[in-house]
Amino acid sequence: MKKYILFFAFIILNSCSGDDKIYDNPNALKGRWLWVSSTGGFQGVTPGALNRKEELEFSDTHVSTYTDGQLTQKLKYHIATKKSIFGGNKKMIVIDKEDLTQVSYADRSFIVTASKMTLSEECNDCFISKYKKVK
């Protein structure tokens, strides 16, 4: 039994890398991010499954969505600290509602490392999406 515990501890410790520092500074969001996958409800989805490439680009004031290289949405946003459904208070991306052309847009909490970003929609049974930094 000890062998298995040591093996799993070894795997976990070796999976850590030097770029895993978590940033909650809104400046860490800035730049372009390639969508890797989303999970939520009873399903997951990837760009390959949808046969498309999606990227997000954060500036100081706007988040732009690109689908297959074409700008498909540009929304004004700000960062606010709010109570999270995942527990505690978290910094969240809040879209200015007057820019929306759709019915609703859930606030998203975020986790950013040097090369990865996770956006979690702050609602029950919503999506958690993973991105990697575009160089």
Side-chain angles (χ1 to χ4, degrees), residues 36-52:
V36 175
S37 66
S38 293
T39 57
F42 295 107
Q43 64 181 350
V45 66
T46 63
L50 297 177
N51 197 28
R52 70 177 186 232

Side-chain angles (χ1 to χ4, degrees), residues 11-35:
I11 296 295
I12 290 169
L13 291 174
N14 279 331
S15 67
C16 298
S17 68
D19 73 344
D20 287 344
K21 182 177 179 195
I22 295 174
Y23 302 95
D24 66 354
N25 181 338
N27 288 326
L29 288 170
K30 290 182 191 169
R32 200 156 179 144
W33 299 89
L34 178 64
W35 175 52

Side-chain angles (χ1 to χ4, degrees), residues 32 50-55 66-72:
R32 200 156 179 144
L50 297 177
N51 197 28
R52 70 177 186 232
K53 176 182 172 184
E54 287 192 15
E55 293 177 306
Y66 294 87
T67 304
D68 294 327
Q70 299 295 314
L71 178 65
T72 53

